[in-house]
Amino acid sequence: MASTGHLCLVMQRLPGESLEKLWPHLTEGEKLAVCTRLKNAFNFLRNLPSPGFYGGIGRTPLPHHFFWDSAKSPAICGPFNSEAELNAGIVRKLRQQSKENGGYMNQKVEFYERHLDDVLSGHDSVFSHSDLQRKNVLVHRHAGAIISVAIVDWEDAGWYPSYWEYCLEFATALWVDDWPKRLEDAIAPWPCEAAVFRMLYQELYF
């Protein structure tokens, strides 16, 4: 059948409860079981062949708001052919934000321009969910057993540097319970990159 050009969204109702709601009531064994299921899911995603760029599906701009630009400039939004181009896009966004606020951050932007490639380089393009909050994980339990673990809300998914998934959650986590520690059971930690990314996130959103 020939394509009509219409975009269709296929949705499915999944059983389960939000991990955000369940987490305080789970046993240590249940938490490990959930994180193991998540690890298997992310291992599958990481094994998807990279298309050789950093961007959204179909070589579109990166969908995460970290790369949002009102003018939709590819130099900020992507897609990017290399990690160095992606880093340059982050610097451009910082410079744009500084300019819009009277140049308050010009000196720090120059710092990032000089050094960002030194600390954020050598990371493969991998498929990432890009919003791994507990509210986006559904856990189906029955008779005390974990039946299934599903990840929902894929609107920010795309091809990001391999550190992205962990570092984004590191930067946005509230750090009020053991979730950040347990997260390392699900996705590989990138502690050095996380420290740099937390700085960048703070520059853009605080």
Side-chain angles (χ1 to χ4, degrees):
M1 180 180 295
S3 172
T4 63
H6 291 86
L7 178 64
C8 297
L9 179 63
V10 179
M11 302 182 71
Q12 178 183 2
R13 185 177 179 86
L14 297 173
E17 298 177 82
S18 161
L19 184 59
E20 185 174 46
K21 176 183 176 182
L22 284 178
W23 190 260
H25 310 291
L26 296 180
T27 66
E28 292 299 306
E30 288 173 327
K31 290 179 178 180
L32 179 59
V34 168
C35 289
T36 298
R37 298 285 186 99
L38 289 173
K39 181 177 182 179
N40 291 338
F42 280 100
N43 283 344
F44 174 81
L45 292 180
R46 298 300 182 265
N47 285 326
L48 294 174
S50 170
F53 65 84
Y54 303 80
I57 297 172
R59 201 176 179 86
T60 55
L62 281 164
H64 192 272
H65 57 82
F66 199 89
F67 298 95
W68 183 85
D69 174 49
S70 59
K72 300 181 180 180
S73 167
I76 293 177
C77 304
F80 303 103
N81 291 317
S82 67
E83 190 173 13
E85 285 187 13
L86 183 146
N87 290 339
I90 293 174
V91 171
R92 287 189 183 96
K93 178 155 185 177
L94 289 170
R95 181 176 289 112
Q96 179 189 78
Q97 182 162 305
S98 181
K99 181 179 179 180
E100 291 172 353
N101 291 276
Y104 78 104
M105 202 170 57
N106 286 350
Q107 297 299 322
K108 190 173 284 189
V109 172
E110 291 181 7
F111 167 84
Y112 286 121
E113 190 171 37
R114 292 194 303 271
H115 299 298
L116 198 57
D117 276 342
D118 295 332
V119 290
L120 294 183
S121 62
H123 304 95
D124 295 332
S125 165
V126 301
F127 195 72
S128 303
H129 176 268
S130 196
D131 195 11
L132 188 60
Q133 301 180 62
R134 282 175 285 186
K135 68 178 184 179
N136 290 331
V137 178
L138 293 181
V139 179
H140 182 204
R141 296 190 300 170
H142 179 70
I146 304 294
I147 304 301
S148 65
V149 175
I151 305 169
V152 299
D153 194 1
W154 291 81
E155 64 179 310
D156 289 338
W159 298 94
Y160 295 85
S162 51
Y163 66 78
W164 179 264
E165 201 92 70
Y166 175 80
C167 292
L168 182 61
E169 185 64 13
F170 178 93
T172 57
L174 296 179
W175 294 84
V176 295
D177 59 17
D178 62 341
W179 171 243
K181 178 182 178 181
R182 287 291 189 171
L183 186 68
E184 297 183 16
D185 293 328
I187 52 179
W190 297 85
C192 295
E193 288 84 348
V196 176
F197 190 86
R198 180 66 181 87
M199 292 171 58
L200 293 170
Y201 200 89
Q202 183 171 337
E203 310 292 7
L204 288 172
Y205 298 110
F206 296 98

